[in-house]
Amino acid sequence: MAIHQKSKSLTSRGNELSSTFYQLEVLNGHEAIEAKFPRFDEKVGNLGFKPLIASGIEIFQINIGKLCNQTCSHCHVDAGPDRKEEQMSRTDLEKCLAIIAATPTINTVDITGGAPEMNANFRWFVEEVSKMGKKVINRCNLTIIVANHKYLDLPEFFAKHNVNVVSSLPYYSKNRTDAQRGDGVFEDSIKALQMLNAVGYGKEGTGLELDLVYNPTGAFLPGSQVSLEGQFKSQLKRRYDVEFNNLFCITNLPISRFLEYLLESNNYEEYMQQLVDAFNPTTVNGLMCRNTISVSWDGYLYDCDFNQMLDLKVDAENSRHLDDFDLESLNNRTIILNQHCYGCTAGAGSSCGGSIE
Amino acid sequence: MSKDKEYYFNKNDLKQFGNITEFQEQMGKDYFKWYGNVMAEGALTKREKALIALAVAHAIQCPYCIDAYSSDCLSQGSDEEQMMEAVHVAAAIKAGTTLVYGVQMMNHVKEKSM
């Protein structure tokens, strides 16, 4: 079934929120006097965490392109079918391979997008990383598998290279899923999950890991990951005979298209207040930015995918691009904090691997 | 307190709920601790407890509680259909308690009638 997109990217619409400068102005108040929420860096600093220092690099996360077959209403990347230009080149992917090979502390290569599979060099890159014996995560939107005949063999390809498939599915019913991700997405996602199950993904004893990501479908925070995982497992099995390994709850951060939704629905202030009220200091040490480096399609380095989307490059003056990658500088860098970071410290915490606690 | 207070229910009052400790600190603290334990995952899941709370909120017609537990139900993974069914359960029980008084009315009528 063809997916009916809810919208176009902020960029193609010329929306002012496509400017990272404007987004940061909204988050911080256009004038200092307008800032309604306590500054995140001060809140963390008052607890003795400032400066928040990286703990090394274990996860090498690469956003290999913003091109996607979906235009989800909460997308922090502002990805979509119209983002054709922003694709990581083979040359930069080769630089990534060299860095990964030369950095023994990197145990996981986390590939994201957009739909990463739409990058022409995706399969070659996965094969090369796989040869190194590193764990490969691919953040797959599911529907890409059935979007075109050339992707239909992706489940077999993933299985051959033991790729950990991590896929978004905001709910186990059509209305909630399609409201966030586009009409027709739920049906195609279920087909894709069944195809992944058919090659062994999510099945006990195969070692092929299939994890789902739950993003709330509105201006509310995710509940208990354990409880939601139980519901998803029982409902998906009963309704569609679908199995998976883990459910990761990820809080929507107030940036990009989710920020647009919050502002347009008049939920921004209440949502920010929820994040601030739910600040949990015990999540700070486990924040993903401390053991991750995030690489953009054009080779720049960031503390996390969210900082990347706000163009907040790493605080390592001589190592802000693949061309200047300096492990020592990056290992001891100070993490760049801003108001969106409240999203990762709310409640049980949030990371690309789900709850922190 | 606002001089121009013109209504009893103010949405922003919900955010001040924690301040009830201002007038009776220990009892307030005891309540919030007990509340936290009650609503934690137990023999019932947090999701089931949120649905019960939503139903009760409607039965006692508390606008604060309706907002709070509608959000909580969403967070805990309930969908619109499940939430509305919970409201129907509350309504059905309330309707039943009205109708069951009909038995008293019938008994009285039968006592007084030839």
Side-chain angles (χ1 to χ4, degrees):
Chain A
M1 174 175 178
I3 295 168
H4 180 257
Q5 312 290 344
K6 294 279 176 199
S7 180
K8 289 187 174 179
S9 68
L10 295 168
T11 304
S12 72
R13 282 183 276 137
N15 188 298
E16 55 193 353
L17 285 168
S18 61
S19 152
T20 55
F21 179 75
Y22 184 78
Q23 288 186 55
L24 288 166
E25 270 203 332
V26 171
L27 288 168
N28 290 280
H30 294 282
E31 302 288 340
I33 203 165
E34 291 178 24
K36 290 185 176 165
F37 305 103
R39 285 176 58 95
F40 183 83
D41 57 349
E42 287 176 5
K43 187 133 186 162
V44 170
N46 291 339
L47 292 164
F49 288 108
K50 196 176 181 184
L52 188 63
I53 303 288
S55 59
I57 302 177
E58 294 170 47
I59 301 168
F60 194 84
Q61 188 177 63
I62 317 168
N63 194 309
I64 67 172
K66 297 190 177 184
L67 182 61
C68 190
N69 60 317
Q70 295 181 190
T71 318
C72 303
S73 54
H74 70 306
C75 182
H76 70 283
V77 178
D78 194 28
D82 49 67
R83 303 301 298 270
K84 292 177 180 157
E85 305 304 317
E86 297 100 331
Q87 289 288 300
M88 186 175 270
S89 66
R90 175 109 172 187
T91 308
D92 278 346
L93 285 166
E94 281 170 351
K95 290 174 193 166
C96 289
L97 288 173
I99 290 166
I100 295 162
T103 314
T105 58
I106 295 173
N107 52 41
T108 302
V109 177
D110 186 340
I111 308 168
T112 186
E117 304 86 350
M118 294 177 87
N119 183 307
N121 297 299
F122 170 76
R123 294 195 193 213
W124 161 79
F125 184 71
V126 169
E127 284 164 2
E128 293 301 311
V129 177
S130 175
K131 283 179 200 165
M132 295 183 202
K134 309 273 185 182
K135 178 177 179 177
V136 182
I137 293 174
N138 181 51
R139 297 191 182 264
C140 173
N141 71 13
L142 293 174
T143 63
I144 191 67
I145 293 173
V146 294
N148 186 295
H149 70 274
K150 67 181 174 183
Y151 300 121
L152 288 172
D153 65 337
L154 276 171
E156 287 84 0
F157 173 79
F158 294 147
K160 183 179 173 190
H161 299 287
N162 198 25
V163 174
N164 177 183
V165 177
V166 178
S167 295
S168 285
L169 190 73
Y171 206 62
Y172 44 79
S173 69
K174 177 179 164 57
N175 57 347
R176 280 282 179 81
T177 303
D178 287 2
Q180 183 189 75
R181 301 175 74 77
D183 291 338
V185 166
F186 183 74
E187 197 177 315
D188 283 358
S189 298
I190 294 297
K191 274 186 216 159
L193 285 168
Q194 289 166 339
M195 289 166 70
L196 287 162
N197 281 170
V199 299
Y201 269 100
K203 301 277 186 184
E204 208 174 319
T206 63
L208 296 172
E209 196 168 326
L210 171 60
D211 301 319
L212 297 183
V213 170
Y214 166 87
N215 285 105
T217 51
F220 56 92
L221 306 185
S224 153
Q225 184 166 279
V226 172
S227 175
L228 284 163
E229 182 181 286
Q231 288 172 57
F232 269 66
K233 282 194 170 176
S234 63
Q235 294 289 338
L236 286 174
K237 178 70 181 165
R238 183 173 66 79
R239 298 182 189 194
Y240 308 105
D241 197 27
V242 162
E243 293 176 78
F244 66 96
N245 296 97
N246 305 294
L247 182 79
F248 300 147
C249 288
I250 301 186
T251 302
N252 289 313
L253 265 61
I255 68 169
S256 196
R257 293 213 288 265
F258 189 67
L259 179 58
E260 181 193 33
Y261 157 75
L262 290 174
L263 292 169
E264 286 197 343
S265 62
N266 289 319
N267 276 304
Y268 171 69
E269 290 199 5
E270 203 167 317
Y271 188 75
M272 279 303 295
Q273 192 64 55
Q274 277 188 73
L275 295 180
V276 171
D277 291 345
F279 175 77
N280 178 355
T282 66
T283 60
V284 176
N285 275 330
L287 289 172
M288 64 178 174
C289 48
R290 298 194 64 224
N291 70 345
T292 300
I293 198 80
S294 164
V295 187
S296 62
W297 69 274
D298 51 357
Y300 286 95
L301 307 177
Y302 302 84
D303 296 315
C304 71
D305 205 36
F306 300 107
N307 278 9
Q308 181 183 141
M309 298 314 150
L310 289 170
D311 199 25
L312 299 169
K313 295 185 178 70
V314 284
D315 183 13
E317 209 167 303
N318 300 318
S319 185
R320 288 186 168 168
H321 192 273
L322 290 172
D323 291 336
D324 317 306
F325 192 92
D326 178 66
L327 185 62
E328 200 173 327
S329 305
L330 293 167
N331 274 342
N332 300 303
R333 72 190 190 275
T334 298
I335 304 294
I336 302 288
L337 304 174
N338 211 293
Q339 296 303 80
H340 64 295
C341 300
Y342 275 116
C344 288
T345 55
S350 180
S351 73
C352 288
S355 296
I356 293 171
E357 284 191 334
Chain B
M1 188 187 293
S2 167
K3 283 179 185 172
D4 56 355
K5 183 173 178 292
E6 291 174 348
Y7 41 79
Y8 287 103
F9 285 109
N10 180 343
K11 191 176 179 182
N12 289 323
D13 282 353
L14 181 57
K15 295 173 191 162
Q16 309 299 321
F17 187 24
N19 297 344
I20 63 163
T21 51
E22 187 182 333
F23 281 12
Q24 223 306 352
E25 187 176 2
Q26 194 55 51
M27 286 184 188
K29 282 183 175 173
D30 288 348
Y31 164 74
F32 287 118
K33 187 178 175 193
W34 176 66
Y35 172 87
N37 290 336
V38 167
M39 297 306 285
E41 196 91 356
L44 295 175
T45 64
K46 283 184 173 181
R47 177 176 157 275
E48 289 163 341
K49 289 178 180 181
L51 283 168
I52 293 170
L54 183 72
V56 173
H58 282 77
I60 62 175
Q61 293 168 321
C62 169
Y64 302 125
C65 307
I66 291 170
D67 277 1
Y69 293 106
S70 295
S71 288
D72 198 27
C73 282
L74 289 170
S75 286
Q76 302 304 337
S78 292
D79 65 14
E80 292 86 340
E81 192 178 9
Q82 293 160 350
M83 290 160 68
M84 187 55 85
E85 283 190 20
V87 174
H88 273 280
V89 171
I93 299 305
K94 283 204 86 170
T97 56
T98 302
L99 286 170
V100 76
Y101 280 99
V103 177
Q104 185 177 344
M105 175 271 287
M106 288 165 67
N107 289 341
H108 187 81
V109 167
K110 284 173 186 172
E111 272 175 30
K112 296 292 178 188
S113 303
M114 286 188 285

